[in-house]
Amino acid sequence: MTIHIVLSIAGTDPTGGAGVQADLKAFTAIGAYGVTAAAAVVAQNTCGVRSFVPLDPSFVGKQIDAVFDDVHVDAVKIGIVANAANTEVVADRLRQHEAENIVLGNGTKSGDHLLDTDAVAAVRDTLVPLATIITPNLPEAAVPLDTKEATTWQQMHDQGTRLRSLGSPWVLLRADTSRTRRPTSTICGPEGARAFTAARVKTLNDHGTGCTLSSAIASLLPNHSAQDSARQAERYLHDALIASDLLDVGHGHGPVHHFHQLCPRE
């Protein structure tokens, strides 16, 4: 069996904790081969985003065409696409190339200034229906639904069900909670909703967790169901968070340890 190839369509991160840089690390850690198409160049570090420059939509499309024209893509992870024009191009190219196993990550939030407000509707209407699974955190999930952030499992279930009605068969809602017995993630699919519980890892090294989780899912999808991919990806991210204290990167929220399996503690 050859190694699966996974395409990341996202923005950049100079410090390597998020964006296409993190995606490539997660792909490799899971056992896939990563290729990329940048949608935006971002000036950010562990302390936050400073500015970003969306790439020309036609150039974004040419990158995607260059990849699909040369290699067989087994899965696609979509992160920040920056604006409505890029959103439309990405959706058009993925349809044209009949892309499969599409994971839409943190691409629906405008509050972090990496997605134009007018692009939220474009992501909802063009990318969500193409996705096999979408993986918003709770603030991101509330944006396309024009509602308040969920605070209970029932609200997470309800919002996941509503998001599924937008076209994606699977929705993984990610919550951040200090209570270890509360659901930290809820996956909604054709057979209903299921909660995942896990102890919270107390660390400041949580930069790029959303990118890492969605990339891990994309790497697993060619061989596993959406539900199993989500479960395994959650476990990988949890271990990467636990091992993140081995890293000393930046003065803010550092990255998770993507390659914790290769660099075990002594």
Side-chain angles (χ1 to χ4, degrees):
M1 181 182 295
T2 58
I3 294 176
H4 291 300
I5 297 175
V6 186
L7 168 63
S8 166
I9 305 173
T12 63
D13 178 5
T15 55
V20 293
Q21 287 91 334
D23 294 345
L24 289 173
K25 293 175 184 178
F27 295 160
T28 304
I30 297 296
Y33 181 86
V35 293
T36 65
V41 179
V42 186
Q44 65 174 311
N45 56 27
T46 63
C47 297
V49 174
R50 298 185 176 186
S51 64
F52 75 103
V53 178
L55 296 183
D56 183 81
S58 64
F59 184 66
V60 175
K62 289 177 180 178
Q63 292 180 78
I64 297 172
D65 288 341
V67 172
F68 276 94
D69 289 346
D70 188 42
V71 303
H72 177 78
V73 177
D74 297 289
V76 180
K77 176 272 171 85
I78 306 173
I80 293 297
V81 291
N83 55 37
N86 279 348
T87 302
E88 297 288 347
V89 167
V90 169
D92 176 73
R93 290 303 193 277
L94 293 182
R95 284 193 296 264
Q96 178 179 322
H97 294 291
E98 299 180 345
E100 298 179 328
N101 298 317
I102 299 173
V103 180
L104 179 60
N106 53 334
T108 59
K109 186 174 68 171
S110 59
D112 57 9
H113 307 299
L114 285 174
L115 184 67
D116 289 348
T117 303
D118 61 356
V120 172
V123 171
R124 180 195 63 209
D125 296 339
T126 64
L127 291 182
V128 171
L130 292 177
T132 304
I133 181 172
I134 63 175
T135 64
N137 61 33
L138 296 187
E140 293 165 350
V143 173
L145 297 176
D146 192 25
T147 188
K148 295 181 180 180
E149 179 180 338
T151 58
T152 66
W153 184 87
Q154 186 59 52
Q155 291 174 351
M156 292 171 67
H157 180 190
D158 293 343
Q159 290 189 16
T161 301
R162 290 178 61 192
L163 286 171
R164 283 193 68 240
S165 70
L166 299 178
S168 177
W170 292 91
V171 177
L172 177 66
L173 270 69
R174 300 178 287 107
D176 182 17
T177 176
S178 60
R179 297 183 182 180
T180 61
R181 298 311 302 171
R182 282 185 56 192
T184 54
S185 296
T186 299
I187 187 165
C188 300
E191 299 178 355
R194 177 180 177 183
F196 297 161
T197 58
R200 180 177 178 176
V201 180
K202 295 183 178 180
T203 178
L204 288 178
N205 293 334
D206 57 1
H207 179 52
T209 52
C211 299
T212 298
L213 178 65
S214 56
S215 296
I217 292 173
S219 301
L220 292 160
L221 267 181
N223 283 332
H224 303 276
S225 68
Q227 191 169 25
D228 286 344
S229 295
R231 184 185 300 108
Q232 292 185 47
E234 288 269 10
R235 187 179 305 118
Y236 162 74
L237 176 60
H238 184 262
D239 292 344
L241 282 165
I242 290 176
S244 67
D245 62 354
L246 293 173
L247 302 176
D248 184 13
V249 180
H251 295 88
H253 288 260
V256 304
H257 194 345
H258 296 89
F259 297 121
H260 60 276
Q261 295 163 321
L262 299 179
C263 305
R265 297 177 185 273
E266 295 181 358

